[in-house]
Amino acid sequence: MDERTQYDSAAYTAFKMKMKSLIGVDLSSYKEQIHRRTHELMSRWKCKTYDEYFDTMKNDEKKLREFLDHLTINVSEFFRNDTQWWKLRDKIIPELIQKRGSKRLKLWSAGCATGEEPYSLAILSAVCGLDTMNPVLAADIDQGAISIAQKANYRKTQLLNVPKEYLAKYFTTKDAGITYDVNPEIKRRVSFKRFNMIEDSFGSNFDLILCRNVVIYFTAQTKDKLYKKFFDALAPGGYFLVGSTEQIFGHQQIGFESAGPFLYTKK
C-alpha cells in the first residue's frame, strides 16, 4: 500500500476517529505532513496494525506523550523572532494603551505549547505597565505541554533572545546556570487553559492575539475557518500576529488589514 492510499484507507479513518475520542484532536484537519509523522512513529514502534498502534498509546501514557510531541513539535524559545517582539513592546502595546485609554488589555497566546510565548508576552506586559488583573490567556490542546509550562523552568538555550536586563529581573537561575525559573511576578500574569481551537468557541474583544507556527499544520479549509474565528475574537483596532513563515491569503476578504510583516489588524 503506497503512502497516499494508506492515508485514505478505511482503517486509518477508523484510527483517527478513535484518536479523536482519546485526545480530542481531529487528525483529519491537519495537512499531509502530520499524517506522515503519524506513520513514522507507527513504523518506529513496529506496530503492524492501527489497532495495535492505538492500544499502545491508550495503555501507555509515555507513548501517548511521545506521539503528541512527535506531531506538534513543541519546541520554542523566549522572544522567538525577536524583531516582532520589540515591535509589540515599542509600538503595538503602547498604541493599544492609548487607543483604549486603559492599561487593562486582553492578550491571548493561542497554541502556547510549553509556555515560552505567553511568558514572553507576560514580560512585555510587565515592561509596558499593563494591569495585572488581566493575565495573558495561554491556551493549548496539549495538557502535557501546559503542565510543562506551568512548572516555568527552562534551559539556558531557550533564553538566548532574552535581553540581559530581563533575564536578571524576571528569572531566577538554578543548577549553576543550566536552567532558569520564571519569577512569580511573571507567572501570575499568565493563565493557562486546555483548548481545542478547531472545536471550542473563542472568546471576544481581545486586543492582541498571537498564533504563531500553529495554523501552518492545518489544511487550507481549516485555516480559513480559524482565521475567521480569530478575526471575530478581536476587538476593533486589535492585532493578530502570525509566525514568520506565515501569511493570511485573502486577509482582506476576512476583514483584516495588513499592519506590517506577519501582523494584521481589525479596523
Side-chain angles (χ1 to χ4, degrees):
M1 184 184 294
D2 66 34
E3 187 178 79
R4 184 67 264 166
T5 304
Q6 187 179 32
Y7 294 171
D8 292 335
S9 71
Y12 185 48
T13 299
F15 168 79
K16 287 186 290 184
M17 290 177 64
K18 289 198 291 185
M19 287 305 298
K20 183 178 179 181
S21 68
L22 181 64
I23 61 175
V25 176
D26 184 1
L27 295 175
S28 298
S29 299
Y30 288 83
K31 292 197 298 187
E32 186 170 309
Q33 67 188 97
I34 291 295
H35 302 292
R36 187 176 300 116
R37 289 178 192 158
T38 299
H39 287 83
E40 284 172 356
L41 204 54
M42 182 180 182
S43 176
R44 186 187 304 171
W45 291 349
K46 295 180 171 53
C47 295
K48 296 180 179 180
T49 67
Y50 290 112
D51 285 342
E52 181 185 355
Y53 193 26
F54 176 77
D55 288 342
T56 297
M57 289 180 281
K58 182 180 178 182
N59 299 319
D60 188 332
E61 189 173 329
K62 288 185 178 179
K63 290 290 188 184
L64 181 59
R65 169 83 257 149
E66 185 179 346
F67 175 82
L68 291 171
D69 284 345
H70 191 67
L71 258 61
T72 58
I73 311 182
N74 286 318
V75 175
S76 189
E77 59 187 335
F78 281 76
F79 300 109
R80 184 177 183 182
N81 308 120
D82 57 348
T83 301
Q84 294 295 322
W85 287 99
W86 312 146
K87 182 175 181 178
L88 294 180
R89 179 192 62 191
D90 300 333
K91 180 179 185 295
I92 301 304
I93 294 177
E95 178 189 302
L96 285 167
I97 292 171
Q98 185 176 26
K99 278 182 184 178
R100 308 307 190 215
S102 170
K103 290 191 173 182
R104 184 173 291 186
L105 300 182
K106 197 172 180 181
L107 313 178
W108 179 17
S109 169
C112 68
T114 48
E116 294 88 340
E117 180 178 278
Y119 286 132
S120 296
L121 193 52
I123 289 171
L124 294 195
S125 77
V127 170
C128 294
L130 296 185
D131 194 323
T132 58
M133 295 298 291
N134 263 25
V136 174
L137 173 61
D140 199 278
I141 195 168
D142 187 344
Q143 185 59 53
I146 291 173
S147 296
I148 293 171
Q150 289 172 322
K151 293 177 183 176
N153 176 257
Y154 297 94
R155 298 182 306 277
K156 187 176 182 178
T157 54
Q158 295 170 280
L159 306 171
L160 297 179
N161 289 328
V162 179
K164 290 182 179 178
E165 62 271 25
Y166 293 179
L167 194 63
K169 187 172 183 179
Y170 300 118
F171 296 84
T172 301
T173 183
K174 293 181 68 177
D175 309 321
I178 297 173
T179 67
Y180 288 75
D181 282 342
V182 177
N183 285 351
E185 174 194 354
I186 299 304
K187 290 181 69 175
R188 286 193 294 269
R189 287 180 175 267
V190 181
S191 175
F192 288 97
K193 170 186 177 182
R194 188 178 186 278
F195 176 79
N196 185 330
M197 68 173 62
I198 295 176
E199 297 185 356
D200 293 342
S201 60
F202 289 15
S204 61
N205 292 316
F206 286 97
D207 296 294
L208 174 63
I209 301 173
L210 277 62
C211 186
R212 307 165 77 220
N213 309 305
V214 177
V215 177
I216 54 174
Y217 295 113
F218 293 115
T219 62
Q221 183 179 18
T222 302
K223 281 183 183 180
D224 291 342
K225 291 179 180 178
L226 289 175
Y227 288 141
K228 180 63 168 61
K229 290 174 76 172
F230 281 121
F231 177 82
D232 291 341
L234 280 174
Y239 287 91
F240 180 50
L241 181 66
V242 299
S244 60
T245 61
E246 300 175 69
Q247 59 178 308
I248 304 176
F249 295 105
H251 64 270
Q252 292 173 320
Q253 284 70 34
I254 298 172
F256 283 117
E257 289 189 14
S258 176
F262 322 114
L263 185 67
Y264 301 86
T265 187
K266 179 178 181 176
K267 291 293 185 182

